[in-house]
Amino acid sequence: MDIPILYHGGGFVICLKPVGVDSETPGMPALLSRQLHIPEVLCVHRLDKAVGGVMVYALNRDSAAALSRQIGDGRFEKEYLAVIHGKMSEPHAELRDLLFHDRTRNKSYVVTRKRAGVKEAVLDYRVLQEAEGCSLLSVRLRTGRTHQIRVQFASRAHPLVGDAKYGSPRRDCPVALCSHQLSFAHPVTNEALSFTAPPPGGYPWNSFQYEYGGTICDTLK
């Protein structure tokens, strides 16, 4: 399997993770190491196995540390595209919840009080289009919790299309979530960088006419 590469240099690589591949070791790091003939590929952020899209991997320890600092400081911006069932009550808003991740079931839950293992989850969304009883959203994460986008919308009776794990009635398509854009500072030069890719083809993405723009690349498979 060849991974689509958007940028390679400066101690990091920008690529498109396919749906169904683990973002962490061995998964993507092993595939990129073989493809690029690089001995060490380091994961600095995660993406659900069921989700594809833009990711950055560090190619040395210094770049990994610099990118991790940006993530910790909130200077590493991640935008997702998602298709949910139904319509949100507001065209744009902040969602803030307490989440508990059950490692045994690999499932997250919205809870009402703090306790061991509970973490705050915050995101901002904007409705881009509505069609066929669904809504296309732009989502910006302000925290990075396991299954955060999936569970925060599902808890409001708007599961992502194709996400049977969190209540979608559709089981005939992958989870309608895509890592659309990453924005961060170059780990060496501090230059502002932004990398964008379109979502997969097919249902439910083809229900919308939104102009995604960004980097021209192969459609994710």
Side-chain angles (χ1 to χ4, degrees), residues 87-212:
K87 299 180 180 181
M88 299 300 294
S89 59
E90 300 291 339
H92 53 83
E94 172 191 274
L95 301 187
R96 185 180 294 267
D97 294 294
L98 295 176
L99 297 189
F100 173 76
H101 179 62
D102 185 330
R103 293 181 180 274
T104 303
R105 298 181 179 181
N106 190 28
K107 189 172 182 179
S108 294
Y109 300 87
V110 172
V111 297
T112 57
R113 61 183 178 83
K114 279 277 194 179
R115 64 177 189 270
V118 172
K119 298 180 179 179
E120 186 177 49
V122 186
L123 61 78
D124 300 303
Y125 76 84
R126 178 167 55 94
V127 178
L128 301 177
Q129 280 191 6
E130 297 171 346
E132 301 179 10
C134 297
S135 301
L136 174 66
L137 309 180
S138 167
V139 181
R140 288 190 178 271
L141 284 181
R142 290 163 58 189
T143 56
R145 310 305 181 201
T146 301
H147 300 175
Q148 178 178 336
I149 295 172
R150 299 164 65 181
V151 68
Q152 285 198 269
F153 285 102
S155 71
R156 291 165 171 81
H158 297 294
L160 273 59
V161 174
D163 195 0
K165 189 181 191 79
Y166 287 97
S168 172
R170 296 295 298 251
R171 299 174 180 267
D172 57 348
C173 63
V175 177
L177 181 63
C178 172
S179 175
H180 176 55
Q181 185 175 64
L182 295 180
S183 300
F184 57 93
H186 193 292
V188 178
T189 67
N190 209 39
E191 175 189 4
L193 301 174
S194 184
F195 297 90
T196 309
Y203 180 83
W205 306 102
N206 56 10
S207 300
F208 304 93
Q209 302 301 316
Y210 179 71
E211 291 293 332
Y212 301 103

